[in-house]
Amino acid sequence: ARPRYRVSDDAGARLCAAFVTAVQAQDLTELTHLLTADVVFVSDGGGVVAAVPKPLRGAAAQSFIHQKQISPRVEGQCDCF
């Protein structure tokens, strides 16, 4: 998919770092501030752990994250763009 907005590498890196930090801290308030209404949540368990089988979009993605079903063990890699 084509990005809606052009974002500098620095801005993208800051957003990814803020997301990883908020997930690791389970800071739901900060996550809410970082996510847009049309967020898409995609997970990959690498065949080792359970993952969401299909992308979650919008309210479903936000609900999933807010229910703390997301692991606080997010690694530093973030494929935002």
Side-chain angles (χ1 to χ4, degrees):
R2 204 171 54 209
R4 290 189 306 168
Y5 305 102
R6 183 82 178 131
V7 178
S8 72
D9 290 341
D10 287 342
R14 285 193 306 273
L15 174 62
C16 287
F19 177 80
V20 169
T21 298
V23 169
Q24 289 173 337
Q26 294 187 336
D27 184 344
L28 299 179
T29 301
E30 182 61 20
L31 281 171
T32 299
H33 291 288
L34 293 170
L35 301 176
T36 61
D38 60 349
V39 65
V40 178
F41 179 82
V42 179
S43 67
D44 180 358
V48 178
V49 297
V52 177
K54 295 182 182 177
L56 298 175
R57 299 178 185 279
Q62 289 185 357
S63 175
F64 182 84
I65 292 168
H66 284 280
Q67 289 174 13
K68 293 188 179 183
Q69 293 177 2
I70 187 169
S71 170
R73 290 190 55 210
V74 171
E75 300 299 327
Q77 179 182 354
C78 192
D79 297 326
C80 294
F81 306 97

